[in-house]
Amino acid sequence: MSRLAQLLNEPESKIQNAIEKLESLSGYNSEDVRLISEINQQTARKIASLGLDPADTTGEELFQTLQVKLKADSRHLARAFGFKPDDTADQTAQKLVALAERCAELPKILALKNSAIKVILRNHPPKKLMKKLGYRSLESMLKRQNPRVLLASAPATETSGWSKALAKDLAKLTAADYEYCTPVVTAMTPPAMGKAADRAVTYEPLSGVIAVWPAHELKKESAVYDFLLVLQAVEILEAESFYLSHHQFQADFGKKAASLFADSARLPLADELDKFDFQNLWRASKSGPTAFEKLASTHPLLSWWRDSGHLLQAGAESVSLNLADNLACLRQGLAYKERVTANAIHQLKSEILKRYGAYPGVQGHLAFEPAPAEDLTGELALDLV
């Protein structure tokens, strides 16, 4: 198996097909070879900076060293971010929202208009959510609550049948029912709403809302992890907006949007590049820092992780140097055999597309430019080939 296929944990044939396609489109510039060489050098330097020998360090030794480092960093960062041992879950949620508002640099995204959300909720009243919030009348709830937040909250309380029925109505909407807006990061502070989710951070496609729930696992010790979840949710909403912007003038726009609501799994690209997805494409076409880099820039303690997003030590078993992967392992108390590498792999795929995306042939095939963000009018956005 080639080094790249090993790092990506993908079948050799699939990776070879994708790289051959990118090589052909770029004029055979061997960006994959250069990237692998850089990864080898950067990973060796990172391992050496930890006081380990790059040529004589097992995967388990590296994993344990990274966990020890991150655990110490997280304790200091929780204090630096203002989280206190006696904070309640509600207070922690509010502090996470405030931290996101200071550091997240919220972008403009394509999301449903409030008027469209109200029509949808009138057709499909979220009765369980109404009961939790103490409303007897749907109109009273719509008048007093943010429609976007209601749409983001309802799937956590209603049945899967309710979500499926709502998705069918979403499929009937058009681009005129959407607008560009700034995402809402909100703390679900009322106790009734806090019991609606079993996760600390959630987002709902098309609503433009990221919800921080005062869940039982929301603790100041894991504030760094939860803040990263908020930043990642912002990225996902922006990537989904990028996807929608490529289809907003097509007849099946409503169906594509509804598919995000029904199943927000990563959407693959076409042809030989099906091992990449729209998040990879969005990251490759976007300038500016990733969620991991934004988090790493908030405090000097995290600077070590800033340029490690796509780095893996590859041997018999890969070990991720990605901040998100290691935070997930630390938060969940995962052992070496249970370690996470998904974020590093996904960021490596984005890096591959970014390197090849510098060439006109690849740009033309992938159509990097989304629709203009100022409004929903103008020329047809280029679609993926």
Side-chain angles (χ1 to χ4, degrees), residues 113-226:
K113 293 179 178 178
N114 280 338
S115 56
I117 293 175
K118 288 181 179 181
V119 171
I120 289 289
L121 292 180
R122 287 188 181 107
N123 291 339
H124 305 278
K127 296 181 180 179
K128 292 185 179 181
L129 180 61
M130 288 172 56
K131 183 177 180 181
K132 280 183 175 291
L133 295 179
Y135 289 101
R136 295 182 180 180
S137 162
L138 175 64
E139 291 304 318
S140 179
M141 184 173 73
L142 291 176
K143 182 179 180 180
R144 291 170 174 79
Q145 298 287 337
N146 185 330
R148 296 188 189 281
V149 176
L150 292 176
L151 182 63
S153 307
T157 62
E158 308 307 310
T159 65
S160 59
W162 178 90
S163 295
K164 290 179 180 178
L166 188 139
K168 289 183 179 180
D169 270 12
L170 287 175
K172 300 174 185 177
L173 300 181
T174 68
D177 296 302
Y178 289 75
E179 65 183 356
Y180 281 95
C181 62
T182 302
V184 174
V185 184
T186 185
M188 300 297 197
T189 50
M193 293 182 75
K195 296 177 183 177
D198 58 1
R199 291 174 293 165
V201 179
T202 64
Y203 83 98
E204 197 60 49
L206 311 185
S207 70
V209 171
I210 298 158
V212 181
W213 302 84
H216 66 279
E217 73 270 21
L218 194 59
K219 302 174 182 177
K220 66 101 179 176
E221 293 87 354
S222 61
V224 180
Y225 175 79
D226 294 316

Side-chain angles (χ1 to χ4, degrees), residues 19 82 127 158 163 231 262 290 328 340-341 355:
I19 295 301
K127 296 181 180 179
E158 308 307 310
S163 295
L231 294 178
T290 65
V340 177
T341 60
R355 299 292 182 97

Side-chain angles (χ1 to χ4, degrees), residues 56 68 102 105 126 162 171 189 197 226 244 274 315 341 371:
D56 189 31
V68 170
R102 291 200 308 270
E105 300 177 18
W162 178 90
T189 50
D226 294 316
L244 290 176
D274 62 356
T341 60

Side-chain angles (χ1 to χ4, degrees), residues 87-117:
D87 281 344
T88 65
D90 283 347
Q91 289 172 328
T92 302
Q94 293 283 4
K95 288 181 178 181
L96 279 171
V97 170
L99 187 60
E101 290 173 345
R102 291 200 308 270
C103 306
E105 300 177 18
L106 299 175
K108 291 288 186 180
I109 62 166
L110 196 57
L112 281 165
K113 293 179 178 178
N114 280 338
S115 56
I117 293 175

Side-chain angles (χ1 to χ4, degrees), residues 362-377:
V362 179
Q363 292 176 7
H365 183 79
L366 295 176
F368 272 12
E369 293 299 323
E374 56 269 16
D375 56 44
L376 298 184
T377 62

